[in-house]
Amino acid sequence: LPIYDPPAIRHGQTVQGIMRRGNVELAVQVRAVEDGKAGETIKVENTDSHKLLRGKILDEKTVLLGQEEAKQ
């Protein structure tokens, strides 16, 4: 029997995006554009600027954002 392994974050879910620059950490609200499991990189949308970003899923509520914008 296959084991159901649900994604940690689902498309449309609003989560916290963490940006790190040097020793400064900034948290922003982002919306997942695709499903993903912990450790995977997914596209997310900044809910304020609507920019697409890529982020690595840390857990079911947090994504570590990359420095570059995602290609549309």
Side-chain angles (χ1 to χ4, degrees):
L1 259 104
I3 296 172
Y4 178 61
D5 188 16
I9 292 177
R10 294 185 181 278
H11 174 268
Q13 184 178 341
T14 301
V15 295
Q16 186 173 54
I18 304 292
M19 283 193 242
R20 291 187 183 139
R21 292 215 169 55
N23 60 357
V24 177
E25 193 171 279
L26 178 69
V28 295
Q29 196 172 63
V30 295
R31 183 176 300 107
V33 177
E34 52 195 359
D35 293 352
K37 295 179 173 40
E40 292 181 344
T41 299
I42 61 168
K43 288 182 193 171
V44 294
E45 179 188 30
N46 181 316
T47 56
D48 290 329
S49 70
H50 301 289
K51 282 188 177 178
L52 282 179
L53 304 165
R54 294 191 70 76
K56 183 176 180 180
I57 298 173
L58 301 180
D59 58 39
E60 66 278 353
K61 297 179 189 144
T62 316
V63 174
L64 180 61
L65 299 173
Q67 309 303 317
E68 80 288 346
E69 289 182 36
K71 303 284 185 278
Q72 300 240 1

